[in-house]
Amino acid sequence: MSNIQAFNMQVTEERIRQYPRNVLEHGAGIVGTSVMQDPNLHVIAKTIYSYLCAYGDSDCLPRDQICYDLNINKNTYAKYMKQLVDCGYITRIQTRDENNNFYRNIYEINSEV
């Protein structure tokens, strides 16, 4: 390629600008890069994990709200939440009521895997 041809070529370079507007004003969380780089996790599992991390120490995140916000159905949520539990990124705690009947699941994000 001649110098004239090289001079006429436009070089397109993409750049990512962090936080040009404050997207963090409504809350933020910490997501481990090891989770995002885990080739065994499906992208939907990573999305659910990121969503949960964004809410940090919230007392209650209803499954229906998570599914609505992520535009996934309950079966998809259950499938990929199970993957997160099986990989050890999330712990599921089954709670019981005063009659020892199943009440609900509580999910905890693990800081050590």
Side-chain angles (χ1 to χ4, degrees):
M1 180 179 307
S2 74
N3 288 341
I4 294 173
Q5 288 174 327
F7 180 76
N8 289 329
M9 286 180 43
Q10 284 188 305
V11 177
T12 303
E13 189 175 315
E14 292 185 22
R15 296 185 185 264
I16 297 174
R17 197 153 145 218
Q18 288 185 308
Y19 317 122
R21 292 178 196 85
N22 193 353
V23 297
L24 304 176
E25 67 189 35
H26 300 290
I30 297 172
V31 178
T33 54
S34 61
V35 178
M36 294 297 106
Q37 294 174 346
D38 187 337
N40 299 312
L41 281 183
H42 190 278
V43 67
I44 295 174
K46 293 176 184 182
T47 302
I48 292 169
Y49 181 84
S50 297
Y51 182 95
L52 296 174
C53 289
Y55 281 88
D57 204 14
S58 295
D59 188 35
C60 180
L61 286 171
R63 179 189 61 197
D64 291 344
Q65 184 65 47
I66 296 169
C67 291
Y68 177 81
D69 289 346
L70 298 180
N71 196 26
I72 59 176
N73 64 44
K74 292 176 186 176
N75 290 334
T76 299
Y77 171 85
K79 176 180 179 178
Y80 294 109
M81 179 59 85
K82 181 181 181 325
Q83 186 181 39
L84 289 165
V85 170
D86 290 347
C87 289
Y89 295 117
I90 301 283
T91 297
R92 181 182 64 215
I93 301 166
Q94 293 184 333
T95 62
R96 303 206 172 263
D97 64 15
E98 61 277 351
N99 297 321
N100 203 29
N101 295 317
F102 173 77
Y103 179 60
R104 68 178 175 183
N105 288 322
I106 297 174
Y107 293 95
E108 292 181 343
I109 300 168
N110 295 323
S111 60
E112 295 181 19
V113 180

